[in-house]
Amino acid sequence: MGKKKEKVIDLKPEKISEEELKQLQNVVSAINKLQFDIGVMEVQKHSALHALFQGNERLNGMQVQFNEQYGCDDINIQDGTINYKKDEPSDS
C-alpha cells in the first residue's frame, strides 16, 4: 500500500543565458553612466548659477555706483555713453 515517493526534478533554469547577462550588464552600465553624467552636469549647473549670481551682484553694485557718480545707471555697454533722460540735466 505504501507507494514510494519519486523525487521531482526542478526544471527551472538557475541562470540567464550569457547573451542575456551581457545585455543586462550593458543596460545597467549605461544607466549608471547616465546617472553619473547627470550628477556632473548638476555640479556644473550649480557652479554656473553661482557665477551668474555673483555677476548679477557685481552688476547691481556697479549700477549703484553709476547712480551715485553720474545720477544715472542707464549706460550704453557698447560705447559707454550715459543715457540721461531728456528731463534730467547732465553734469557736463
Side-chain angles (χ1 to χ4, degrees):
M1 283 230 187
K3 287 190 177 179
K4 200 175 191 182
K5 288 188 177 181
E6 293 183 25
K7 185 175 180 182
V8 177
I9 299 173
D10 190 3
L11 298 177
K12 294 180 187 173
E14 291 184 17
K15 289 184 171 186
I16 61 176
S17 71
E18 284 297 317
E19 183 179 328
E20 290 171 323
L21 177 60
K22 287 233 184 272
Q23 289 175 351
L24 177 62
Q25 290 170 337
N26 287 339
V27 169
V28 170
S29 178
I31 290 170
N32 287 342
K33 181 179 182 338
L34 288 168
Q35 288 174 332
F36 176 81
D37 291 347
I38 289 169
V40 168
M41 286 185 272
E42 283 296 324
V43 169
Q44 291 171 339
K45 175 184 168 186
H46 177 78
S47 295
L49 287 171
H50 184 70
L52 176 62
F53 178 78
Q54 288 178 324
N56 283 330
E57 288 292 312
R58 188 166 178 207
L59 176 61
N60 290 337
M62 292 176 78
Q63 288 173 321
V64 168
Q65 180 183 352
F66 292 146
N67 258 326
E68 290 172 357
Q69 189 170 354
Y70 302 108
C72 180
D73 65 0
D74 186 3
I75 312 293
N76 181 318
I77 63 168
Q78 299 300 316
D79 64 10
T81 303
I82 301 170
N83 300 312
Y84 293 105
K85 290 189 172 87
K86 298 297 179 197
D87 59 343
E88 293 179 4
S90 63
D91 289 341
S92 38

